[in-house]
Amino acid sequence: MAAERLVVVGGDAAGMSAASQARRLKGPDELEIVAFERGDFTSYSACGIPYWVGGDVGGPDELIARSPEEHRERAIDLRMRTEVTEIDPGGRRVRARDLDSGEESWTGFDKLVVATGARPIRPPLPGIDAPGVHGVQTLGDGRALLDTLSRTEGNRAVVIGAGYIGVEMAEALLKRGYEVTVVHRDAQPMATLDPDMGALVHKAMTGMGITTVGGSAVTGILTGEDGRARAVATRDAEYPADVVVLGIGVEPRTELAGAAGLPLGPAGGLLTDLAMRVRGHDDIWAGGDCVEVLDLVSGRTRHIALGTHANKHGQIIGANIGGGYATFPGVVGTAVSKVCELEIARTGLREKDAHAVGLQFVTATIESTDRAGYYPGAEPMTVKMLAERRTGKLLGVQIVGKAGSAKRVDIAAVALTAGMTVEGMTALDLGYAPPFSPVWDPVLVAARKATSAVRAGGL
């Protein structure tokens, strides 16, 4: 009997994890694997690009987990610089174009994995495509930005957007000696936090020498006589720029899937079942930054572009294609970041998220330290906790502080996944010694305060 053919569209985390896992379970005589990647790299850490730009890590080689040659050694027919231009689910085939030769051809499949990733959001503004304006999503993007920085004489950088990518790129540019201005439309940076916690980030960034301009929608990129970006314009001001970095966020790259009639969610990501199979299509799977996942706290689907999820999706897809069984139940929305010495973390719902799904809640915010206050080097941290008003069920946690703060959010992520109440959290047996924590860990202090708020708010 002839081997089945698996076609993978996208050669990064989700796609190649799926291909690799399927290959572990089925040999070439049972499963032929053909993978298409439009870029120059495979299986790399996009999350590491800001640290490459900032000089903390080398690159791009240090960010690549597995090269095309290594994949091919495992009997995966990986075709680089080849872009899939059409998916034909009914005909069980994809059309691809070799970006060097321009030649197009169809490839049939028995099983298909869509792992097309995400793209930086580029709003349709005047000058958005001018030289000197950079998105940061792929290793090619990082290389192009570094090339611009090496050729630019000035030292003024403007970052548009103050989410995770925005603040990380602000730090990277600051380390390279640039005068950095961050322009964003929300009242405070890090809109993934509630505004009161975002204000702490704003204060810290200002103290680092980063100019942060909130509540300002960008109206365009102004260019000089040479056509290059020279300033970022808002309704009220212009901010001179020798380089502009887009940190507005990303959107799922699903135009191929949409044109093929595959189901998309509210955020434009592909919708799958628990096995990561595209809904309504038994032999098509999808994973990574092009899908929407179930938020276990809100009960809604959401788009979250994180390498952790992409690698898990790929493992699950490959297991199911290879004859095993695995599922992806959902997420609680955990993320961490940093800007210089400041660490930022969140998991679960913000206040506006809870309002949006009809939950009534109480909040508790505490200030503590990352270790015993008397121990040398103790640094402050702020923890905010949301709990359901009647039941006391944990809904979300946000943390802003210095080194040792952010990863404490993992305590809350586990508690959220387990459906714990804030009162139940107060009994958690966490590790304690003065160099690592106060007697009461800051997360548990917040849980105690939230418990009191639940009892006071009651019914």
Side-chain angles (χ1 to χ4, degrees), residues 197-223:
M197 297 294 282
L200 301 177
V201 179
H202 183 183
K203 180 179 179 181
M205 290 175 69
T206 300
M208 297 168 192
I210 299 171
T211 301
T212 306
V213 183
S216 297
V218 172
T219 57
I221 311 296
L222 305 181
T223 56

Side-chain angles (χ1 to χ4, degrees), residues 7 13 15 34 59 65 80-81 136 177 210 270-271 278 357 378 391 424 436 441 446 449:
V7 168
V34 179
M80 300 299 294
R81 292 190 53 75
V136 185
I210 299 171
L270 277 156
L271 297 175
V278 173
V357 294
T391 66
F436 302 103
D441 188 273
K449 188 171 181 180

Side-chain angles (χ1 to χ4, degrees), residues 8-370:
V8 178
V9 184
D12 199 8
M16 298 318 295
S17 290
S20 298
Q21 179 66 3
R23 173 57 73 230
R24 292 186 191 102
L25 297 174
K26 286 191 174 182
D29 56 332
E30 295 180 275
L31 185 69
E32 176 190 359
I33 303 177
V34 179
F36 298 98
E37 168 53 43
R38 66 200 296 269
D40 298 312
F41 305 96
T42 60
S43 302
Y44 60 86
S45 172
C47 302
I49 294 173
Y51 308 108
W52 172 25
V53 173
D56 297 304
V57 299
D61 291 345
E62 290 188 22
L63 301 180
I64 297 173
R66 189 167 291 173
S67 68
E69 292 74 21
E70 289 174 308
H71 285 299
R72 291 174 187 135
E73 289 171 1
R74 291 165 172 79
I76 297 171
D77 180 6
L78 176 55
R79 304 176 188 180
M80 300 299 294
R81 292 190 53 75
T82 306
E83 180 178 15
V84 172
T85 58
E86 184 178 350
I87 297 172
D88 178 11
R92 302 173 72 82
R93 59 181 187 164
V94 301
R95 178 161 58 186
R97 179 175 66 246
D98 185 306
L99 295 179
D100 296 320
S101 69
E103 182 179 342
E104 292 194 353
S105 61
W106 287 96
T107 301
F109 65 81
D110 297 293
K111 301 180 188 298
L112 175 69
V113 174
V114 181
T116 46
R119 65 164 64 83
I121 294 173
R122 299 182 78 96
L125 297 172
I128 195 71
D129 294 319
V133 180
H134 293 268
V136 185
Q137 179 66 16
T138 68
L139 290 187
D141 295 335
R143 175 179 285 168
L145 174 57
L146 284 168
D147 183 57
T148 292
L149 296 177
S150 69
R151 293 184 289 103
T152 299
E153 294 183 1
N155 70 335
R156 299 168 300 181
V158 174
V159 178
I160 302 176
Y164 294 107
I165 294 297
V167 300
E168 288 170 358
M169 289 309 304
E171 174 184 354
L173 292 163
L174 192 69
K175 285 186 172 183
R176 294 184 69 90
Y178 278 75
E179 296 177 7
V180 181
T181 300
V182 179
V183 181
H184 58 98
R185 65 170 62 237
D186 294 295
Q188 301 293 347
M190 293 301 297
T192 53
L193 306 176
D194 287 324
D196 54 339
M197 297 294 282
L200 301 177
V201 179
H202 183 183
K203 180 179 179 181
M205 290 175 69
T206 300
M208 297 168 192
I210 299 171
T211 301
T212 306
V213 183
S216 297
V218 172
T219 57
I221 311 296
L222 305 181
T223 56
E225 293 182 0
D226 58 358
R228 296 184 58 81
R230 66 169 182 83
V232 171
T234 67
R235 294 188 187 92
D236 305 316
E238 295 180 9
Y239 300 94
D242 301 297
V243 63
V244 177
V245 176
L246 304 179
I248 308 170
V250 298
E251 58 188 2
R253 192 187 293 271
T254 52
E255 62 274 14
L256 275 178
L262 303 183
L264 305 181
L270 277 156
L271 297 175
T272 70
D273 62 16
L274 291 175
M276 303 307 298
R277 184 183 285 107
V278 173
R279 295 182 190 178
H281 296 268
D282 288 343
D283 293 317
I284 302 178
W285 285 259
D289 294 353
C290 66
V291 305
E292 294 185 25
V293 294
L294 176 65
D295 186 312
L296 297 173
V297 187
S298 71
R300 297 182 176 181
T301 62
R302 58 186 299 196
H303 178 245
I304 302 178
L306 280 177
T308 52
H309 300 159
N311 279 283
K312 290 174 186 175
H313 294 169
Q315 290 287 314
I316 289 160
I317 292 167
N320 289 320
I321 290 175
Y325 173 70
T327 61
F328 186 79
V331 303
V332 294
T334 307
V336 295
S337 186
K338 67 181 282 290
V339 52
C340 298
E341 298 83 15
L342 188 74
E343 297 185 357
I344 306 159
R346 58 77 51 92
T347 189
L349 306 183
R350 300 165 296 178
E351 290 190 26
K352 70 176 184 180
D353 301 324
H355 282 302
V357 294
L359 290 169
Q360 294 189 9
F361 58 89
V362 298
T363 67
T365 301
I366 64 97
E367 294 182 0
S368 184
T369 54
D370 65 327

